[in-house]
Amino acid sequence: MAFTTDPIVPGGLPEVHGEHRRAFEEYKRTHGAEFAEGYATYRRSLELAIAWHDPNYHNSAITRRRIEMIEEARRTLAARIPAHQSIPGNRGSDDRTPNARQKLIASFQPSTADEVAVVNREWDIVRQLLPVREIEVIIQTASEQRLIAIAANAELLPEVAQSINPEAYLGEVLDLVIDRLAAVGHSGAARVVADESTDELKQAWGRVLSEALEGAVSIGALSYLAQVDPDGASTIATSDAFVDSYKVDEQVARLDKIAQSASKGA
């Protein structure tokens, strides 16, 4: 378990969290712009496809070429959709496989006499505070050592045993601990939180771009994107390609039907 027995001032090393946060913000800025451009390029490609014309081509040949251009645009956009973990991401959706948060919490179990002494001392303080403060309040101002002690002993909290859903309540407490650890500069926690943010960003953009392949982007997908990338969501929502998308989508849908009929008749 990586923590020192030296006193840690509440607030820790926020610059560590800042480094991970800055890395995430840089990823969001650069890749968010790339995803937005991918969407815009796709919509422009659809507009070009349905408007394509050549006087030297018969109508059937023009239609085939338009369908080919639409499929080319879809393949290009599909290749730009970001891969991501299942959300809630590093929190995990498979109970059999420990996720990043669970692995981090497991690493807080003391393994040396000094670590045991620190955890016990901090846990004793937490137990003395519990009658007058809620655990959520204690976590909000706890030092790194105290947070680790809470994580190592969270199953013993009276609130967990008294909860209607002890497992869910325990998970909420541990999430608060990790978020606070990230804020005070614990490197492992800061990395987990930043990785989760990046993965959520990928999922949000993945949903928007995947829906774009199928037709119109839903308000739900845009709302989700707005939570993790407000600038990206605004770029999409205010673009002419989004506002007037139904006009293009109607023509694309018509060409899709022709393509499907031709495929069945082949």
Side-chain angles (χ1 to χ4, degrees):
M1 179 174 60
F3 73 94
T4 175
T5 56
D6 295 331
I8 297 178
V9 177
L13 301 171
E15 65 272 15
V16 175
H17 177 54
E19 289 174 5
H20 289 287
R21 189 68 194 177
R22 282 191 294 273
F24 164 69
E25 291 295 339
E26 178 62 19
Y27 179 92
K28 180 171 67 173
R29 185 182 66 80
T30 56
H31 290 272
E34 291 172 4
F35 297 144
E37 178 56 31
Y39 172 83
T41 299
Y42 172 67
R43 298 303 305 189
R44 286 195 297 269
S45 297
L46 293 183
E47 292 175 6
L48 291 173
I50 63 176
W52 188 87
H53 182 78
D54 189 320
N56 297 315
Y57 280 51
H58 294 297
N59 287 340
S60 59
I62 290 174
T63 297
R64 283 197 301 272
R65 180 54 188 150
R66 288 175 176 175
I67 291 172
E68 289 172 356
M69 291 173 70
I70 289 172
E71 290 307 311
E72 289 172 5
R74 284 172 172 160
R75 285 193 293 270
T76 299
L77 181 62
R80 302 183 76 165
I81 296 177
H84 59 82
Q85 301 294 322
S86 59
I87 293 297
N90 286 331
R91 298 166 193 258
S93 59
D94 184 351
D95 292 337
R96 296 168 299 179
T97 304
N99 56 59
R101 288 194 171 221
Q102 291 168 339
K103 291 177 180 177
L104 182 63
I105 292 296
S107 73
F108 294 154
Q109 292 299 325
S111 58
T112 67
D114 285 344
E115 290 174 353
V116 169
V118 173
V119 166
N120 287 343
R121 182 192 70 208
E122 292 295 333
W123 181 240
D124 284 342
I125 295 173
V126 170
R127 287 192 300 175
Q128 292 173 33
L129 292 172
L130 281 174
V132 293
R133 296 186 194 174
E134 295 181 348
I135 186 62
E136 292 84 356
V137 175
I138 296 173
I139 290 172
Q140 287 174 5
T141 57
S143 65
E144 180 177 313
Q145 289 178 343
R146 190 158 299 165
L147 291 165
I148 289 174
I150 293 171
N153 294 279
E155 293 182 355
L156 303 177
L157 287 167
E159 293 89 343
V160 171
Q162 296 165 7
S163 173
I164 297 176
N165 189 337
E167 185 176 349
Y169 185 81
L170 175 62
E172 292 175 3
V173 169
L174 293 177
D175 280 344
L176 289 174
V177 168
I178 290 178
D179 292 341
R180 169 63 181 170
L181 277 169
V184 301
H186 185 280
S187 180
R191 186 177 300 108
V192 166
V193 171
D195 287 347
E196 287 175 349
S197 297
T198 299
D199 200 64
E200 191 169 22
L201 177 72
K202 290 180 179 179
Q203 179 176 6
W205 271 110
R207 180 177 171 183
V208 166
L209 299 183
S210 295
E211 287 190 4
L213 284 177
E214 301 298 325
V217 177
S218 69
I219 297 301
L222 271 181
S223 296
Y224 179 33
L225 179 62
Q227 295 175 27
V228 293
D229 188 357
D231 291 340
S234 177
T235 298
I236 297 294
T238 59
S239 68
D240 292 339
F242 178 79
V243 174
D244 298 326
S245 62
Y246 69 95
K247 299 178 182 178
V248 174
D249 292 338
E250 287 179 352
Q251 296 300 314
V252 170
R254 182 181 65 82
L255 290 168
D256 282 342
K257 288 181 179 180
I258 294 174
Q260 291 170 4
S261 297
S263 177
K264 291 179 181 177

